[in-house]
Amino acid sequence: MGVINETQTIEFILQGFSEHPELRILLFICFLFLYMVALTGNALIITAIIFNSSLHSPMYFFLFNLATMDIICTSSILPKVLKGMLSEENTISYEGCMAQLYFLTWSASSELLLLTVMAYDRYVAICHPLHYGTMMSKTLCSVLACGVWGLCAINTAIHTGLMTRLSFCGPKIVTHFFCEVPPLLLLSCSPTYVNTIMIVLADAFYGILNFVLTLVSYCLIISSILKIRTTEGKKKAFSTCSSHLIVVSMYYTAVFYAYISPVSSYNPEKSKLAGVLYTMLSPTLNPLIYTLRNKEVKQALRKILPFFKN
């Protein structure tokens, strides 16, 4: 019986969008534009919130955290993607792959959890407006934010740690444009049972449980809005949560589209499309959605950007 070569892989090849070589230049321009807009938009939101005292409220505190997560998410992926589009062979070291996996999973899972926290914040603001100040105190908001970052950091460390215990003995082509758990597991020549169990548990918590909690929050919000007698009052109440509702719908669409499924049924093309949605499009659109639909953010931006008048 022949000896199986289980030499540890020292680098991977990211497949990227090599199946569409004729679109490489167009994709490079589009992704570079998205990255610049995402960085600029989220940095402006962070700056506006820091330097404008009128935005020092729970809703904008969580928006500050969301913008930070978006910057980490897109910056862990796009620089390498853009570099790979300009090279003949898009390789990434084993250490670089694990680092990319960690920061992407950390920011993406944190965003899902934070969106649930933001849904609760909107529930309290609309359903319990007279007690909003006490129910959403600075201490509670800080605890919730730290809990989101900390819990997701521990979860991500477990996934990344389990990944580093696997052996990759070839082939070394990752069928994606970044390092992600499902395509990496398909390359492993070690048992991946524990990894798969952890993925199922993470999907149940971050995908299904958080989605249900968010859905319950909005059912209560809608029920409360419908009880408001005046049309103007209903519009004002809905305007305070409409931006968040749009972001939640967009983000969960991408997540459910690609990831709430067994690893064995992993579809590279579907996963790439979802990856573009939540690592590029979502971080780009989030600041635009919150800016264009929020008068307070617009006013804050006018103070730091003289040209932002209209």
Side-chain angles (χ1 to χ4, degrees):
M1 186 174 179
V3 178
I4 299 175
N5 180 12
E6 293 192 1
T7 304
Q8 183 69 39
T9 299
I10 59 172
E11 68 176 13
F12 295 99
I13 298 175
L14 296 172
Q15 185 185 66
F17 301 92
S18 57
E19 64 270 35
H20 304 292
E22 70 281 0
L23 299 177
R24 176 177 291 188
I25 300 300
L26 178 61
L27 289 173
F28 177 85
I29 295 172
C30 290
F31 290 170
L32 179 61
F33 173 76
L34 289 175
Y35 187 41
M36 291 296 100
V37 174
L39 284 183
T40 304
N42 285 292
L44 285 174
I45 282 185
I46 290 173
T47 304
I49 293 173
I50 290 176
F51 293 104
N52 196 296
S53 58
S54 66
L55 300 183
H56 293 177
S57 65
M59 182 175 72
Y60 296 109
F61 171 72
F62 294 130
L63 181 57
F64 172 91
N65 281 268
L66 182 67
T68 304
M69 291 171 186
D70 279 339
I71 289 176
I72 295 175
C73 179
T74 192
S75 295
S76 65
I77 298 299
L78 274 173
K80 180 60 182 173
V81 172
L82 293 172
K83 181 182 177 182
M85 287 183 172
L86 299 178
S87 59
E88 291 297 325
E89 191 175 67
N90 187 14
T91 61
I92 184 171
S93 67
Y94 176 81
E95 293 78 11
C97 186
M98 293 301 108
Q100 190 180 73
L101 176 67
Y102 181 87
F103 285 104
L104 172 65
T105 307
W106 184 30
S107 58
S109 60
S110 295
E111 187 154 345
L112 280 172
L113 204 55
L114 183 66
L115 289 174
T116 303
V117 172
M118 294 174 76
Y120 173 73
D121 171 70
R122 292 300 83 207
Y123 157 74
V124 175
I126 294 173
C127 300
H128 303 282
L130 298 180
H131 300 92
Y132 182 72
T134 54
M135 292 180 69
M136 297 302 296
S137 63
K138 289 184 178 180
T139 301
L140 177 61
C141 291
S142 298
V143 169
L144 288 173
C146 290
V148 168
W149 287 102
L151 179 63
C152 294
I154 294 172
N155 168 72
T156 304
I158 292 173
H159 282 287
T160 308
L162 289 173
M163 189 66 68
T164 60
R165 297 180 61 185
L166 301 179
S167 296
F168 301 91
C169 41
K172 58 181 181 179
I173 300 176
V174 180
T175 56
H176 213 305
F177 58 89
F178 57 82
C179 287
E180 190 180 45
V181 173
L184 286 175
L185 291 184
L186 295 177
L187 300 182
S188 174
C189 50
S190 303
T192 59
Y193 178 76
V194 177
N195 300 72
T196 303
I197 292 297
M198 288 304 300
I199 289 175
V200 172
L201 293 176
D203 284 349
F205 176 73
Y206 287 103
I208 299 174
L209 180 60
N210 277 278
F211 177 74
V212 170
L213 291 175
T214 302
L215 192 62
V216 169
S217 295
Y218 271 99
C219 286
L220 294 172
I221 288 172
I222 293 172
S223 176
S224 181
I225 291 176
L226 291 177
K227 293 178 182 178
I228 299 175
R229 295 182 178 180
T230 64
T231 303
E232 186 64 28
K234 290 180 180 179
K235 288 182 179 179
K236 184 177 180 181
F238 184 74
S239 66
T240 64
C241 62
S242 58
S243 296
H244 178 257
L245 186 58
I246 293 172
V247 171
V248 166
S249 301
M250 181 173 59
Y251 205 80
Y252 272 104
T253 297
V255 170
F256 283 124
Y257 177 70
Y259 302 115
I260 307 301
S261 59
V263 174
S264 58
S265 62
Y266 173 77
N267 185 311
E269 292 304 310
K270 190 168 72 169
S271 186
K272 286 179 186 179
L273 177 58
V276 170
L277 291 176
Y278 79 83
T279 66
M280 302 182 197
L281 202 58
S282 181
T284 302
L285 293 179
N286 285 354
L288 295 176
I289 292 170
Y290 280 105
T291 300
L292 296 177
R293 300 181 63 86
N294 193 300
K295 293 180 180 180
E296 291 179 309
V297 175
K298 286 182 181 179
Q299 291 172 356
L301 287 174
R302 289 190 187 104
K303 293 180 180 180
I304 61 175
L305 295 175
F307 57 84
F308 195 86
K309 296 298 181 183
N310 298 317

